[in-house]
């Protein structure tokens, strides 16, 4: 009697989704829907941390704000976070996904620290790419990447359902890129098409490990892979973004922050550019 081969995603056993309510007009989270459908596809356990940003307490920046008014806002944000957690649990139950929810009310730094700590206990973390240049969503992504030792899937608005049929691997030969591709292997094996994309002139592409040398490694893991070396054009980020559209990529695998976040902030960088706007969910590892 023949045995059915397990799904390539079967190695993913627990998924963490992190959200944070910062204000009363909080945009809907795409990460929750994405994480739920990913957990269902993988047969994994889902944990949803729906935190609210507590303004009251020891925050010195509050100054002479009316404490009673701040407490009212805290209660409203906490209620919103709890409502999101309850709705997530209901959606998960309806989808047949085992789900645990948490709704902590915490000061700003504690939200990101708790999220990073929880991320260490899961295979991967799913987070939203926030609409603002500086926001809690982006800090959660960076903290999870640098302090959890686990990969992060950063989900842009409008991508509330998991899909990974067509994947681009952004390859520059770096240790970060190698780590990201290795961590993403369950998705790469399950994909219909994977394209390794290197951007730069010939000397830059061959300065480290070229994509053509990395491709056999992925192929030995059962990945259907091709290689595409592209000219820098208007810049690495712009070229990658355009190629993701042409390839109709469902996911972009990328080594995050080859340079320090501070250097990327001042001089620009591919990671920071994509966190401002990405055509597809980003699988990030550092």
């Amino acid at each position: 009697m023949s045995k059915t081969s397990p799904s390539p995603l079967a190695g993913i056993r627990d998924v963490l989704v992190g959200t944070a309510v910062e204000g009363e007009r909080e945009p809907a989270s795409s990460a929750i829907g994405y994480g739920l459908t990913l957990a269902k596809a993988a047969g994994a356990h889902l944990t949803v941390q729906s935190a609210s940003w507590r303004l009251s307490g020891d925050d010195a920046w509050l100054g002479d704000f009316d404490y009673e008014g701040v407490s009212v806002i805290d209660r409203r944000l906490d209620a919103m976070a709890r409502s999101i957690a309850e709705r997530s649990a209901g959606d998960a139950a309806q989808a047949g996904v085992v789900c645990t929810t948490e709704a902590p009310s915490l000061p700003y730094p504690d939200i990101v620290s708790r999220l990073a700590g929880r991320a260490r206990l899961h295979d991967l973390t799913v987070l939203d790419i926030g609409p603002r240049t500086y926001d809690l969503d982006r800090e959660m992504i960076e903290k999870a990447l640098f302090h959890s030792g686990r990969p992060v899937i950063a989900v842009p608005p409008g991508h509330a359902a998991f899909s990974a049929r067509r994947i681009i691997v952004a390859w520059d030969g770096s240790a970060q890129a190698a780590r990201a591709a290795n961590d993403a292997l369950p998705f790469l094996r399950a994909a219909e098409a994977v394209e390794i994309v290197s951007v730069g002139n010939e000397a830059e592409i061959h300065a480290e490990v070229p994509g053509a040398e990395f491709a056999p490694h992925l192929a030995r893991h059962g990945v259907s892979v091709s290689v595409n070396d592209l000219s820098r054009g208007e810049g690495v980020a712009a070229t990658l973004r355009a190629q993701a559209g042409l390839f109709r990529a469902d996911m972009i695998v990328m080594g995050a922050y080859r340079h320090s976040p501070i250097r990327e902030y001042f001089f620009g960088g591919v990671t920071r550019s994509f966190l401002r706007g990405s055509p597809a969910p980003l699988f990030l590892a550092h």
Side-chain angles (χ1 to χ4, degrees), residues 172-190:
D172 60 4
S174 67
Q176 289 88 343
R179 173 68 180 270
N182 185 74
D183 287 352
L185 273 174
F187 299 100
L188 300 181
R189 290 193 195 101

Side-chain angles (χ1 to χ4, degrees), residues 170-261:
W171 180 254
D172 60 4
S174 67
Q176 289 88 343
R179 173 68 180 270
N182 185 74
D183 287 352
L185 273 174
F187 299 100
L188 300 181
R189 290 193 195 101
E192 296 173 3
V194 174
E195 184 175 73
I196 298 174
V197 177
S198 298
V199 179
N201 59 41
E202 185 174 350
E204 289 172 330
I205 289 173
H206 288 273
E208 296 200 43
V209 181
E213 292 185 14
F214 184 60
H217 168 71
L218 295 184
R220 293 182 193 110
H221 280 277
V223 178
S224 177
V225 62
S226 60
V227 179
N228 194 352
D229 295 337
L230 299 174
S231 173
R232 181 183 296 271
E234 295 181 5
V236 176
T239 302
L240 276 174
R241 195 175 280 111
Q243 182 59 23
L246 291 173
F247 190 69
R248 304 190 310 279
D250 300 307
M251 177 184 285
I252 301 169
V253 175
M254 182 181 297
Y257 295 111
R258 182 173 181 179
H259 303 294
S260 72

